[in-house]
Amino acid sequence: MIRPLLINNIGALLILASCSSPVPNGQNAELEPTEFSIDRSTPEAVLRSIIGAIKADRLASLKDLCEPNGQCDVACHTMCNIATDDMGHIDKFKRWFAQAEQTAPVTFAGDSAFLHLKLDPNGNSRLVDLGLIKQNEEWYLARFKWQ
């Protein structure tokens, strides 16, 4: 008696599993993780990584952009650890950096570089210089300076 009941329940589960309703555009019903990875190959790649982390909602990965030997100012340290901050700062960070634009070519000085950015949330444009340091052929955030 138990065996037919078990077989019927397994059969019902298999039928239910195979009859999932389609999702618009023929996509799988399961949410696929957003493709994202940190890229420190160039200063511009670091900026793309910041924007990508915001769009993919992977702010915890920003910690990998901070200079690993502690040569990072307070503002960059805060940016790299924004995922552990309260929601007010996270939302503000996302608004300011989601549409960051590079305003000039990168300025290089040896193993240092500056990205010149315009941050423009809600039409409130601000210019900032993002300082980076090159270590072991990779670029890391080191300074953040409002102009």
Side-chain angles (χ1 to χ4, degrees):
M1 180 62 111
I2 293 176
R3 184 177 174 153
L5 184 60
L6 181 61
I7 291 172
N8 285 341
N9 286 339
I10 291 172
L13 287 174
L14 290 174
I15 290 170
L16 287 173
S18 66
C19 293
S20 62
S21 61
V23 175
N25 300 329
Q27 296 178 2
N28 189 338
E30 294 180 25
L31 294 176
E32 295 182 19
T34 304
E35 293 288 326
F36 173 75
S37 63
I38 292 292
D39 183 358
R40 294 183 298 264
S41 61
T42 65
E44 296 90 347
V46 171
L47 176 60
R48 286 190 303 273
S49 293
I50 294 168
I51 295 168
I54 292 168
K55 291 181 178 180
D57 198 24
R58 304 267 305 273
L59 295 180
S61 63
L62 292 177
K63 70 182 179 331
D64 295 330
L65 291 177
C66 264
E67 196 283 322
N69 296 321
Q71 297 180 37
C72 186
D73 71 10
V74 172
C76 280
H77 181 75
T78 300
M79 182 187 309
C80 291
N81 294 290
I82 194 73
T84 61
D85 207 330
D86 64 55
M87 288 305 290
H89 287 112
I90 291 173
D91 290 342
K92 185 177 180 180
F93 172 77
K94 286 180 176 181
R95 277 194 314 276
W96 279 93
F97 277 91
Q99 303 298 322
E101 294 178 31
Q102 189 173 339
T103 60
V106 177
T107 304
F108 291 95
D111 285 341
S112 295
F114 282 94
L115 275 170
H116 310 285
L117 307 176
K118 179 174 90 171
L119 309 179
D120 193 10
N122 307 322
N124 184 16
S125 184
R126 294 277 313 260
L127 297 177
V128 66
D129 285 334
L130 201 55
L132 297 102
I133 294 175
K134 187 176 185 180
Q135 291 184 354
N136 300 320
E137 302 304 313
E138 294 188 306
W139 290 95
Y140 294 92
L141 296 173
R143 289 176 290 287
F144 181 93
K145 180 181 173 193
W146 292 108
Q147 291 184 1

